[in-house]
């Protein structure tokens, strides 16, 4: 059995994993991922009990219990590069023996649910609705660095998307990943609208925004909004979903993302105050994970 070298799995002197500063046994099987470190406190305010709190850089973690079920919330910060750190390290905490540095024979499956904010790319999606991502298109290229990428991706969707958008070869190749059906079922209802989410590697140019820099393709958002594949259309932008779905699929975990729509890019509308809706969404997700 392969031993994972110290340079590959970095363990801190206190026995915690390098970035998250968490030790094996300190996370639950149900994990909520949020971008904003401040949102960890909001999510954990609904817990019945708090077991631990840990923080290092933007990575803030709280594990507790709700309705008799253990649950963890982790702040990832922004971007799929951070997701690469967070999902790999959370997986290592349950599926790698830190003493022997070998993969455990018995696999532990985690449930990841990202709660975030997003901008809609279809005029009919209401601001302050909840977008549940059935699929995610990664503009970030992260999953392309991993073996077996094609085994978990929707290759036909990818080909249709690249062709329809006349994809710029200077950009990273997009990949298409699916959410776990079981989690989609548990998170449906309420203000939920299902859709297909693009995870962009930036907030401005990669999402079609122009400040002082011109875009390589000024019509990319219209082309994305017009795209159709079978019964699917692209509904929104955010910045983490694709990597969560892709890494979870490769590592044998379940994943889903649900975001509050705080702006509609095509309609030119924005939420005046999305925070009450975010609080309501958090309660909806917690109910789905603990019922």
């Amino acid at each position: 059995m392969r031993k994972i070298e110290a340079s590959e799995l970095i363990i801190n002197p206190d026995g915690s994993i390098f970035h998250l500063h968490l030790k094996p046994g300190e996370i639950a099987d149900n994990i909520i991922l949020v971008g904003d470190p401040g949102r960890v406190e909001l999510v954990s305010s609904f817990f019945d009990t708090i077991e631990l709190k840990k923080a290092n850089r933007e990575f803030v973690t709280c594990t507790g219990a709700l309705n008799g079920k253990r649950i963890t919330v982790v702040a990832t910060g922004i971007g799929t590069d951070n997701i690469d750190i967070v999902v790999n390290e959370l997986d290592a905490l349950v599926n790698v023996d830190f003493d022997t540095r070998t993969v455990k024979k018995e696999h532990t499956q985690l449930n990841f649910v990202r709660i975030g904010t997003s901008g809609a790319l279809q005029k009919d999606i209401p601001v302050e609705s909840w977008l549940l991502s059935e699929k995610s298109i990664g503009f970030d290229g992260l999953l392309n660095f991993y073996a077996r990428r094609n085994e978990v991706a929707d290759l036909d969707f990818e080909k249709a998307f690249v062709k329809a958008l006349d994809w710029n070869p200077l950009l990273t190749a997009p990949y298409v990943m699916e959410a776990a059906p079981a989690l989609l079922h548990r998170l449906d209802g309420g203000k939920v609208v299902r859709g297909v989410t693009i995870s962009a590697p930036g907030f401005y140019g990669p999402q079609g925004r122009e400040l002082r820099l011109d875009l390589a393709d000024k019509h990319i958002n219209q082309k994305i909004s017009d795209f159709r594949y079978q019964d699917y259309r692209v509904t929104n932008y955010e910045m983490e979903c694709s990597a969560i779905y892709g890494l979870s699929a490769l590592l044998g975990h379940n994943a889903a993302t649900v975001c509050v729509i705080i702006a509609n890019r095509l309609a030119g509308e924005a939420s005046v105050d999305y925070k009450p809706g975010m609080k309501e969404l958090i309660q909806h997700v917690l109910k789905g994970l603990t019922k």
Side-chain angles (χ1 to χ4, degrees):
M1 185 175 291
R2 181 177 71 92
K3 181 178 180 181
I4 302 172
E5 299 296 336
S7 60
E8 309 302 295
L9 174 64
I10 303 174
I11 300 174
N12 299 315
D14 66 352
S16 65
I17 201 159
F18 187 55
H19 294 92
L20 300 183
H21 282 209
L22 295 169
K23 300 176 184 178
E26 292 186 336
I27 62 170
D29 291 347
N30 288 318
I31 301 174
I32 293 175
L33 302 176
V34 296
D36 181 0
R39 200 165 287 153
V40 172
E41 184 175 354
L42 176 59
V43 174
S44 62
S45 70
F46 295 105
F47 292 178
D48 295 326
T49 58
I50 301 294
E51 180 182 324
L52 69 87
K53 294 181 179 181
K54 292 283 186 71
N56 179 51
R57 300 185 184 184
E58 64 266 52
F59 307 115
V60 179
T61 301
C62 179
T63 295
L66 177 64
N67 299 329
K69 294 188 177 181
R70 202 163 175 245
I71 193 162
T72 294
V73 55
V74 180
T76 65
I78 296 174
T80 56
D81 50 346
N82 277 15
I83 295 301
D84 186 56
I85 291 170
V86 171
V87 173
N88 274 295
E89 292 196 359
L90 290 172
D91 173 79
L93 286 168
V94 297
N95 287 311
V96 176
D97 186 316
F98 278 27
D99 293 326
T100 63
R101 292 182 169 273
T102 58
V103 176
K104 295 178 180 178
K105 292 181 179 180
E106 185 175 344
H107 177 264
T108 296
Q109 186 176 68
L110 301 173
N111 292 321
F112 293 114
V113 177
R114 163 167 152 70
I115 300 176
T117 57
S118 184
L121 288 168
Q122 302 292 340
K123 284 186 177 181
D124 62 314
I125 297 177
V127 169
E128 297 182 7
S129 60
W130 303 338
L131 201 296
L132 182 59
S133 305
E134 292 183 294
K135 293 178 182 284
S136 183
I137 305 172
F139 281 8
D140 53 283
L142 175 68
L143 211 68
N144 300 333
F145 287 90
Y146 289 96
R148 298 189 300 108
R149 169 253 200 244
N150 284 1
E151 296 177 19
V152 296
D154 188 333
L155 300 180
D156 290 337
F157 193 123
E158 289 177 11
K159 292 175 183 177
F161 186 81
V162 167
K163 181 179 180 181
L165 267 72
D166 190 20
W167 193 253
N168 185 343
L170 294 177
L171 302 178
T172 54
Y175 59 95
V176 178
M177 301 301 309
E178 296 184 349
L183 285 180
L184 290 177
H185 177 73
R186 292 168 71 177
L187 297 174
D188 217 339
K191 301 177 182 178
V192 167
V193 177
R194 292 197 182 198
V196 176
T197 298
I198 290 175
S199 294
F203 184 77
Y204 292 98
Q207 294 188 35
R209 290 185 172 92
E210 286 188 275
L211 300 183
R212 291 204 315 118
L213 294 174
D214 293 335
L215 297 177
D217 184 351
K218 292 180 178 292
H219 306 291
I220 190 168
N221 280 357
Q222 190 60 56
K223 286 192 278 187
I224 290 170
S225 298
D226 291 342
F227 171 75
R228 297 292 184 274
Y229 175 73
Q230 296 178 355
D231 295 328
Y232 295 103
R233 60 178 183 164
V234 180
T235 50
N236 61 311
Y237 271 126
E238 55 81 80
M239 296 179 66
E240 290 84 28
C241 182
S242 60
I244 297 170
Y245 285 12
L247 293 173
S248 294
L250 288 173
L251 291 166
H253 303 304
N254 296 317
T257 292
V258 58
C259 291
V260 176
I261 297 297
I262 64 172
N264 188 305
R265 299 289 300 280
L266 268 67
E269 299 173 350
S271 171
V272 176
D273 182 9
Y274 68 88
K275 292 182 179 179
M278 173 60 72
K279 185 176 181 179
E280 187 181 354
L281 173 58
I282 290 169
Q283 291 175 294
H284 173 79
V285 171
L286 287 171
K287 181 180 179 181
L289 289 176
T290 60
K291 66 183 178 183

